Amino acid sequence: MIESDELLSIRAAELYYEEDKTQDEIGSILALTRWKVGRLLAQAKASGFVRIEIVHPRARRLPVERRLRETCGLADAIVVSTSGVEDQDELQSRTAQAAADYLATLRPVPRTLGISWGRTLDDVSRHLHDGWAGGVDVVQINGGVSLNRRAGTAASTAVTIAQKGGGHATLLPSPAILERLETKRAIESDRAVSAVLDLASNADAYLFSAGAADATSVLVDSGYLTSDDVAGLVRRGAVGDVVGRYVDGAGAIVDERLDERTIGLPLESLRAAQLSIAVIAGAAKHAVARAVVASGLCTVLVTDEETALHLIENHPSVPDSEGQRGTA
Amino acid sequence: MIESDELLSIRAAELYYEEDKTQDEIGSILALTRWKVGRLLAQAKASGFVRIEIVHPRARRLPVERRLRETCGLADAIVVSTSGVEDQDELQSRTAQAAADYLATLRPVPRTLGISWGRTLDDVSRHLHDGWAGGVDVVQINGGVSLNRRAGTAASTAVTIAQKGGGHATLLPSPAILERLETKRAIESDRAVSAVLDLASNADAYLFSAGAADATSVLVDSGYLTSDDVAGLVRRGAVGDVVGRYVDGAGAIVDERLDERTIGLPLESLRAAQLSIAVIAGAAKHAVARAVVASGLCTVLVTDEETALHLIENHPSVPDSEGQRGTA
DNA sequence: ACGCGCCGTGCTCATATGAGCAAAGATCCC
DNA sequence: GGGATCTTTGCTCATATGAGCACGGCGCGT
């Protein structure tokens, strides 16, 4: 009879969800009391026979968000639906939109927001709506002067976010990575730079993304690193970069020498922050996302469903510096 | 504001369906009255943002059934879900199961049931449960003596259906297709055969399948026709066979000469029947299914979702003897 | 500018649904 | 076989939801 109950619950679910019948009506169709029908329906839902999905570019996945928050100990998690996503761009765009939405609904509104730069952040800036905040000061947290045609993207990201938020942007007037340690120390001690870094380290909130450890990285594209450099980092365990710094699966700096030449907020400041929002989407970034979450670099993660499920399944709370390398 | 309403309805749907919040709770979360939330939810459903699907091997697609009934003028339609189907066998099996279920719930229970034979019908017979009817006489409606190793399948199908239904089977002791017209006439006039045909033509209900017009047909497999014969029929417009008779897209006999040598109930008897149930599944059979439905060979169709949607989209009520050939 | 009509809103009331409970069956162990 | 226990069933009552309606704001035409 357990078998026939299952079948009945399917028939009931069909009538209830597809034909919009009332439980009472279903009762008389299937010759059952309406209470039995109610229980059958509950059973069908509990057994997962009834799948309810919300299909919309801006739909989120609340149950996944909850699981992600819980298994990864995040303060908050925003997971966008991947259903109906056609390409990588669509996914990026949806995630950026969600990040923008999240930023706009933050209460209290941060007075100072530290941001990194890159493709993702730029996307977020474009998806924000005018007046998303009543006066935010935006400050760059890592070196933002590009070496090539892309110059200006980093600046425009910051400026856009600030303008739309009714505040102004403070740029970090420095390259991301210097060639010599001495130059880095020199530039870092320059008031124009150190003042910005001070401001950055006192921001109310941080918003940053992460890059995958491969040749498509903005750091390669901007000329700071060569593909070979990145390949070398990967060999040493790098899974991606966070605000310009390459980390391994456990979120530790891969190459101290390189890191010392990198200008920007140290990762420890992100870890210590009250509110730091990471925006990371796409299969290529699963490994970095895991490192970011596992090592506590963010308190809030905005990501896509697939990445979220990957994180949940791979319990990032038990980091493993081997593992995920090369998943991209 | 219309835009923001859409977004709100998505948020509301997320909270309602994924988080099991009450409309009232959602109201306080989104700062809306519960009536507004109700309307938003209704809007989300109406716009198709909320997709509810019942995933189960024995799930049916009631809305599709309704549309199929309406657009094709069927007395009834049974459409099985294709979600999660792994292979052709699974699809066949689900459809056969559904046909068996339908047969078992028929009221009034037919006293005499005319059946064809083949892979599909055999599947149906195996999915029926013991005691599905309290005494049905099963009679074959087309020639059932196979020429090769498969001999007996046709007989066993009929016997199984009859046994499980507490009745007995009447087999048609004749080949499906004779080589010479004279032989066919002779055998047809033999009492042993004509009595069965008489019985068949007076059946309360018919249950049959259809074959695609290709070399995989049981008629080829059983040695009645060669692949070349079938290819020739296809060139002349055949889309498949129904109880051993090849028909074109409009349901008309393709080759009168061949048809005259075919033993069994004429298609007109199926068209005139009160209740004739066709069981047809799989992409290879879309074209025959269309012909069967369009030409009124069945009053009830048991099929899979894809085939059903194909039929609905291709309005079989406006038959087109060209068209679907070769869709398989 | 004024009145008209339409749309969106929040309401009342009827209905549908779910929680909790007591009785009836089924099951199991002795 | 008999009693104890556990499950299933049908109920009562509280709650959630949907239909229909009256009101108010908004845009439109004159």
Side-chain angles (χ1 to χ4, degrees):
Chain A
M1 273 301 156
I2 179 79
E3 152 83 25
S4 90
D5 250 25
E6 183 171 313
L7 187 54
L8 269 182
S9 76
I10 295 302
R11 296 280 160 265
E14 285 163 0
L15 292 163
Y16 192 71
Y17 293 107
E18 300 192 327
E19 296 287 86
D20 293 309
K21 304 256 182 227
T22 162
Q23 297 188 3
D24 221 352
E25 289 177 293
I26 298 170
S28 50
I29 292 170
L30 301 179
L32 300 165
T33 62
R34 71 186 186 77
W35 296 281
K36 177 75 180 171
V37 174
R39 281 176 188 127
L40 249 20
L41 250 19
Q43 187 189 317
K45 246 204 274 190
S47 318
F49 299 147
V50 179
R51 167 177 299 164
I52 302 184
E53 200 186 351
I54 294 159
V55 283
H56 192 281
R58 297 181 72 170
R60 284 164 49 185
R61 284 287 111 100
L62 267 19
V64 181
E65 292 181 1
R66 180 205 301 283
R67 282 198 288 155
L68 191 56
R69 271 198 307 269
E70 286 169 3
T71 72
C72 303
L74 294 167
D76 212 344
I78 314 298
V79 176
V80 301
S81 151
T82 48
S83 82
V85 162
E86 286 162 11
D87 50 23
Q88 198 59 19
D89 282 357
E90 167 93 22
L91 187 74
Q92 284 278 350
S93 166
R94 283 192 186 186
T95 313
Q97 174 70 260
D101 289 346
Y102 185 76
L103 207 55
T105 54
L106 266 187
R107 288 304 110 88
V109 178
R111 290 193 59 257
T112 311
L113 177 69
I115 64 160
S116 71
W117 51 271
R119 157 92 207 272
T120 306
L121 264 281
D122 197 53
D123 243 17
V124 173
S125 77
R126 273 184 277 106
H127 279 105
L128 273 169
H129 61 261
D130 272 316
W132 69 271
V136 232
D137 287 341
V138 174
V139 51
Q140 288 185 328
I141 61 178
N142 60 334
V145 178
S146 290
L147 303 179
N148 68 357
R149 56 179 152 49
R150 283 238 203 177
T153 296
S156 97
T157 302
V159 170
T160 303
I161 296 180
Q163 274 183 348
K164 289 187 174 173
H168 63 270
T170 306
L171 305 180
L172 183 61
S174 148
I177 301 173
L178 282 305
E179 287 178 344
R180 297 179 47 240
L181 179 55
E182 292 72 32
T183 324
K184 187 263 193 175
R185 295 220 169 110
I187 217 172
E188 200 173 40
S189 60
D190 187 281
R191 277 203 44 98
V193 168
S194 66
V196 177
L197 287 173
D198 270 5
L199 196 58
S201 64
N202 289 313
D204 300 322
Y206 298 100
L207 179 70
F208 66 98
S209 185
D214 57 38
T216 68
S217 161
V218 247
L219 288 168
V220 172
D221 208 37
S222 307
Y224 287 115
L225 296 175
T226 65
S227 304
D228 285 348
D229 292 335
V230 176
L233 288 163
V234 168
R235 271 195 300 278
R236 294 169 63 186
V239 294
D241 78 282
V242 178
V243 292
R245 303 175 191 276
Y246 277 87
V247 296
D248 63 19
I253 295 297
V254 171
D255 181 340
E256 283 296 347
R257 308 286 296 278
L258 171 63
D259 201 64
E260 282 172 351
R261 294 186 284 115
T262 305
I263 294 265
L265 206 66
L267 296 186
E268 285 322 313
S269 299
L270 284 180
R271 292 206 175 90
Q274 277 302 112
L275 176 60
S276 82
I277 307 163
V279 187
I280 308 175
K285 296 188 176 177
H286 283 185
V288 221
R290 188 160 171 280
V292 165
V293 168
S295 68
L297 280 164
C298 66
T299 60
V300 175
L301 176 66
V302 182
T303 190
D304 64 280
E305 193 170 4
E306 266 182 40
T307 305
L309 292 173
H310 172 88
L311 294 176
I312 291 167
E313 275 174 30
N314 292 279
H315 288 240
S317 42
V318 188
D320 165 15
S321 59
E322 307 289 351
Q324 300 309 307
R325 217 183 306 162
T327 302
Chain B
M1 273 303 154
I2 179 80
E3 151 84 25
S4 89
D5 251 24
E6 182 170 313
L7 187 53
L8 269 181
S9 75
I10 296 302
R11 295 282 159 263
E14 286 163 358
L15 292 164
Y16 192 71
Y17 293 107
E18 300 192 328
E19 297 287 86
D20 293 310
K21 304 258 182 222
T22 161
Q23 297 188 4
D24 221 352
E25 289 177 294
I26 297 170
S28 50
I29 292 170
L30 301 178
L32 301 163
T33 62
R34 70 184 187 77
W35 296 282
K36 177 74 180 170
V37 174
R39 285 183 240 266
L40 248 19
L41 250 19
Q43 187 189 318
K45 246 204 273 187
S47 318
F49 299 146
V50 179
R51 167 177 300 163
I52 302 184
E53 201 187 349
I54 294 158
V55 283
H56 191 281
R58 296 181 72 170
R60 284 165 48 185
R61 284 286 110 99
L62 268 17
V64 181
E65 292 181 1
R66 180 205 300 284
R67 282 198 287 155
L68 191 55
R69 272 198 306 269
E70 287 169 3
T71 72
C72 303
L74 294 167
D76 212 343
I78 314 299
V79 176
V80 300
S81 151
T82 49
S83 80
V85 162
E86 286 162 12
D87 50 24
Q88 199 59 22
D89 281 357
E90 165 93 22
L91 189 74
Q92 284 278 351
S93 166
R94 285 192 185 186
T95 313
Q97 174 69 261
D101 288 346
Y102 185 76
L103 207 55
T105 54
L106 265 187
R107 289 301 112 87
V109 177
R111 290 196 58 257
T112 311
L113 176 69
I115 64 161
S116 71
W117 51 271
R119 156 92 208 271
T120 306
L121 264 280
D122 197 53
D123 243 17
V124 174
S125 77
R126 273 185 276 108
H127 279 105
L128 273 169
H129 61 261
D130 272 316
W132 69 271
V136 232
D137 287 342
V138 174
V139 51
Q140 288 186 327
I141 61 177
N142 61 332
V145 179
S146 290
L147 302 181
N148 67 357
R149 57 180 152 50
R150 282 238 203 178
T153 296
S156 97
T157 302
V159 169
T160 303
I161 296 180
Q163 274 182 348
K164 290 187 174 173
H168 64 270
T170 306
L171 304 180
L172 183 61
S174 148
I177 301 175
L178 280 306
E179 287 179 345
R180 295 179 48 238
L181 180 56
E182 292 72 32
T183 324
K184 186 261 190 176
R185 294 218 169 114
I187 216 172
E188 200 173 39
S189 61
D190 187 281
R191 276 206 41 102
V193 169
S194 67
V196 177
L197 287 173
D198 270 3
L199 195 58
S201 65
N202 289 313
D204 300 323
Y206 297 100
L207 178 70
F208 66 99
S209 186
D214 57 37
T216 68
S217 161
V218 245
L219 288 168
V220 173
D221 207 36
S222 306
Y224 287 115
L225 296 175
T226 65
S227 304
D228 286 348
D229 291 335
V230 176
L233 288 163
V234 168
R235 272 195 299 279
R236 294 168 65 184
V239 295
D241 77 282
V242 178
V243 290
R245 302 174 192 277
Y246 276 88
V247 296
D248 63 19
I253 295 298
V254 171
D255 181 341
E256 283 295 349
R257 306 286 295 277
L258 171 63
D259 202 64
E260 282 173 351
R261 293 185 284 114
T262 305
I263 292 266
L265 206 66
L267 296 186
E268 286 320 313
S269 299
L270 284 180
R271 292 205 175 91
Q274 278 302 113
L275 175 59
S276 80
I277 306 164
V279 186
I280 308 175
K285 296 189 177 177
H286 283 184
V288 222
R290 189 160 172 279
V292 166
V293 169
S295 68
L297 281 164
C298 67
T299 60
V300 174
L301 177 66
V302 183
T303 190
D304 64 281
E305 193 170 5
E306 266 182 41
T307 305
L309 292 173
H310 172 87
L311 294 176
I312 291 167
E313 275 174 31
N314 293 280
H315 287 241
S317 43
V318 188
D320 165 15
S321 58
E322 306 291 349
Q324 299 311 307
R325 218 182 307 161
T327 301

